Amino acid sequence: MFENALPSVLGAIGNTPLVRLDRLAKAWNLEGTLYAKLEYLNPGFSKKDRIALQIIEEAEERGELVPGRTVVELTSGNTGTGLAIVCGVKGYPFCAVMSKGNSMERARMMRALGAEVVLVDQAPGSPPGQVSGEDLERVEERAKALVAERKAFRADQFVLRGNVRAHELHTGEEIWTQTEGKLDAFVDFAGTGGSFTGCALALKKHNPRIRCYLLEPETAAFLGKGEIVNANHKIQGGGYSRTLPLLDPSLVEDYLAASNDDAIEGAHALAAYEGIFGGFSSGANLFAAVSLLRGREKGNAVAFLVCDSGLKYLSTDLYP
Ligand SMILES: Cc1ncc(COP(=O)(O)O)c(C=O)c1O
């Protein structure tokens, strides 16, 4: 008998659709093609399900993760949600460590999926909804302490190559196949830099001439300019003003920047013209892709990720 069912929800991770944004391009008189990869259609509503699966399965293969061992990781919510799903299905206890600056939908979702969620106070002066590198350092300290206490496996998304491999073996390959190789550029807002590096490696393996642009918050253009005007910004999930061990700078064509308002406008345009409901970083990615089509990539094809769902931001000012 032919059964057309997946053995678990883990089989639903990846293979997300790629959409051509022809309505938006027409409305804004853009020359060229925009491609959006709908990562919010993963089971945890973000691209981070991919790295959760890859990191956990690589740790199992190395023998580092055995039944009963706890998994710990710091998260802006998305990696934690992915890990809560993967650990839940595979039977590992999972503890997510998150800044109180991230939206609370995320903590609730992780708890519903069986995770223990440890919330860490923001640094003095850091506004809620705007997580800085300093806030993240506090989360890091707490995660380290929990790993030691519980002899846990740290699913360290800033360090483990599984993060890059998830996007190199899957996300980037999928983009190449879905565009039939007719792609000139890729742009990505960096948190760990895992998506950027992984997708860039895959795309450049097929065609070294594809240009890959790395996006940062305008006030925290640390990687491109070494400049931090204000480390706090609204683009949750990245822009941490820190060096990124997984980022390979030789893959970066150039560094771009987006403001809070650019990200919000971008997210609104994706929703209004294309029926695509993304978060701040998705809006920032669209803004940057449009800027490229209006400038040095005029007439070309540019791809980006819709990193997560706008539903994760209903408690913020993204969609008032
Ligand atoms: C919503 C969102 N956008 C962008 C990123 C950045 O992705 P990466 O860590 O692959 O650079 C993250 C990472 O957590 C995220 O959650």
Side-chain angles (χ1 to χ4, degrees), residues 136 140 154 156-164 190-198 201 214 222-223 240-251:
L136 199 69
E140 171 70 37
R154 172 80 190 270
D156 196 337
Q157 57 172 329
F158 278 92
V159 173
L160 294 175
R161 288 298 296 180
N163 179 351
V164 170
T192 62
S195 311
F196 175 88
T197 301
L201 282 171
L214 189 136
F222 174 77
L223 299 165
Y240 297 123
S241 309
R242 54 170 281 184
T243 51
L244 302 177
L246 295 179
L247 175 68
D248 177 352
S250 74
L251 300 168

Side-chain angles (χ1 to χ4, degrees), residues 47-48 76 78-79 189-195 236-237 281 307-308 313:
K47 64 181 179 177
K48 292 291 188 166
S76 66
N78 283 332
T79 301
F189 177 75
T192 62
S195 311
Q236 293 185 35
S281 63
C307 308
D308 68 355
Y313 302 89

Side-chain angles (χ1 to χ4, degrees), residues 45-56:
F45 314 116
S46 94
K47 64 181 179 177
K48 292 291 188 166
D49 291 0
R50 295 176 182 268
I51 75 159
L53 184 61
Q54 189 78 22
I55 286 173
I56 293 299

Side-chain angles (χ1 to χ4, degrees), residues 290-298:
V290 167
S291 312
L292 286 170
L293 282 196
R294 286 189 174 139
R296 65 182 114 174
E297 297 289 346
K298 194 172 183 175

